[in-house]
Amino acid sequence: MSSPPSAAGSRRAALSGPVLGILLMILGIFLFSLNDALGKWLVGTYSVSMVLLFRSIAALVLLAPFVHRDGGIRGLMAAPRPWVQLARVALATLEVGFFYWSVRYLPLADVMTYYLAGPIYVAALSALVLKERIDARRWAAILVGFVGVIIVLKPSAASLTPPAFVAITGSFVFAVLMLVTRQLRGTKDSTLLAFTTTAAMMAGAVTAPFAWVTPTLRDFGLLSLVGVVALVASLCVNRSLKLAPASVVVPYQYTMILWAGLFGYVFFGDAPKLNLIIGALIIVAAGLYIFLREQKDAKAGSGETVAEEVGQTMSAQP
């Protein structure tokens, strides 16, 4: 007769699956949001190119052991679908540049709200570009999500600024990036990260000399920390998706807007506006509805969901 499990053993068992997955997703999103706030603070002094350069170098240093474990340079060269890989690298570099340029001028919560519309764009593009079947209820959710974006944007001569357009363009590029990443499901996470991080470093190295500001020792550490935190956040999200079903952990990605609002207020004095709160709630509701419909289809055997694509793309960002 076996003895009953100990309390410690029960706790370990509870933390070995969905619970640990949820905790890792919350931690990863918190780190992503904290990293974005740090990046916004740094681009107030240093160019986007410099942030890309230093964060990418730091991330590559930490990433090197994982790349070596997965075959090193030979493994990178053997990555499938090289032209799709190249397209993904270009999109990822463009998207991260757009993000940092827009947060330099806009409140963090505003930019993150635009990016939360990514799954809505993906659902629309899947129907329009990939000719995937989207039922009427999901089309309605897509349209509602777009209404939320318009409410956040609050179209007027004062709000339709270049930074706002850059943020919206960046969120759209992010959606296209998700679709392209979908075509590379068989590629190792370390390979995806190595390609996009190297490309971001090269883009920063080419353009940084034109707006160079020699960083202080403290700021050098903070510039490097951006890459370190981003990589740790990516690993947390990736591990979360491996420990628990997407249906369990992906909704916690929407905590990003809460952190963005909090960090924006605490560090930059950006109080969330009423239209932002209303629009963000609409976008999150539409995104969650699409997610639930995708989960229903996935259970019927239709394949990977939009939500899973979002999570996997986040974990493979430069």
Side-chain angles (χ1 to χ4, degrees):
M1 182 175 178
S2 60
S3 59
S6 66
S10 299
R11 286 195 295 269
R12 284 195 296 270
L15 286 174
S16 62
V19 175
L20 182 56
I22 290 171
L23 293 175
L24 284 173
M25 178 61 76
I26 293 174
L27 176 60
I29 297 304
F30 169 78
L31 291 175
F32 270 126
S33 303
L34 184 62
N35 203 49
D36 293 338
L38 178 58
K40 175 178 174 61
W41 185 78
L42 287 169
V43 294
T45 303
Y46 304 100
S47 67
V48 172
S49 300
M50 287 187 63
V51 174
L52 287 179
L53 176 61
F54 284 98
R55 78 189 291 269
S56 299
I57 292 174
L60 282 173
V61 170
L62 288 184
L63 189 60
F66 298 97
V67 174
H68 177 73
R69 179 200 62 188
D70 292 333
I73 300 297
R74 185 174 298 178
L76 294 176
M77 298 304 294
R81 309 185 70 176
W83 287 108
V84 181
Q85 299 280 2
L86 184 62
R88 182 183 178 280
V89 163
L91 288 167
T93 305
L94 192 63
E95 180 270 321
V96 75
F98 281 163
F99 176 82
Y100 279 116
W101 194 88
S102 59
V103 295
R104 183 172 190 169
Y105 301 100
L106 293 176
L108 185 60
D110 290 44
V111 178
M112 292 314 307
T113 301
Y114 292 133
Y115 271 75
L116 285 178
I120 297 168
Y121 299 153
V122 169
L125 289 172
S126 296
L128 299 175
V129 178
L130 302 181
K131 307 302 180 184
E132 295 184 358
R133 180 181 172 276
I134 302 292
D135 60 35
R137 283 179 287 188
R138 264 179 288 182
W139 271 119
I142 290 169
L143 293 176
V144 169
F146 282 126
V147 170
V149 173
I150 292 173
I151 291 174
V152 175
L153 183 58
K154 196 179 175 182
S156 68
S159 64
L160 294 177
T161 60
F165 279 116
V166 170
I168 294 173
T169 303
S171 67
F172 185 78
V173 172
F174 178 69
V176 177
L177 175 62
M178 281 188 265
L179 289 179
V180 174
T181 302
R182 179 183 179 182
Q183 310 303 314
L184 300 170
R185 295 173 189 156
T187 305
K188 292 182 175 67
D189 293 331
S190 61
T191 299
L192 293 174
L193 278 167
F195 282 151
T196 51
T197 306
T198 301
M201 181 189 68
M202 293 173 63
V206 170
T207 55
F210 296 99
W212 184 264
V213 176
T214 301
T216 64
L217 184 61
R218 183 201 64 175
D219 288 356
F220 173 79
L222 292 175
L223 286 163
S224 301
L225 187 62
V226 173
V228 174
V229 176
L231 184 59
V232 173
S234 296
L235 293 174
C236 287
V237 171
N238 184 64
R239 186 61 180 166
S240 170
L241 289 163
K242 293 183 186 300
L243 286 171
S247 59
V248 174
V249 297
V250 165
Y252 290 93
Q253 292 184 354
Y254 287 105
T255 58
M256 183 176 291
I257 189 61
L258 299 177
W259 294 122
L262 177 62
F263 293 150
Y265 179 74
V266 172
F267 297 128
F268 307 104
D270 297 326
K273 300 179 289 292
L274 180 61
N275 67 299
L276 173 70
I277 296 172
I278 294 173
L281 290 174
I282 292 173
I283 292 170
V284 169
L288 284 174
Y289 181 81
I290 292 171
F291 165 73
L292 293 173
R293 294 295 300 177
E294 291 286 342
Q295 285 293 304
K296 184 178 179 180
D297 287 351
K299 288 179 181 178
S302 61
E304 189 174 53
T305 69
V306 168
E308 288 170 317
E309 293 164 11
V310 175
Q312 291 172 0
T313 303
M314 287 183 65
S315 68
Q317 282 296 85

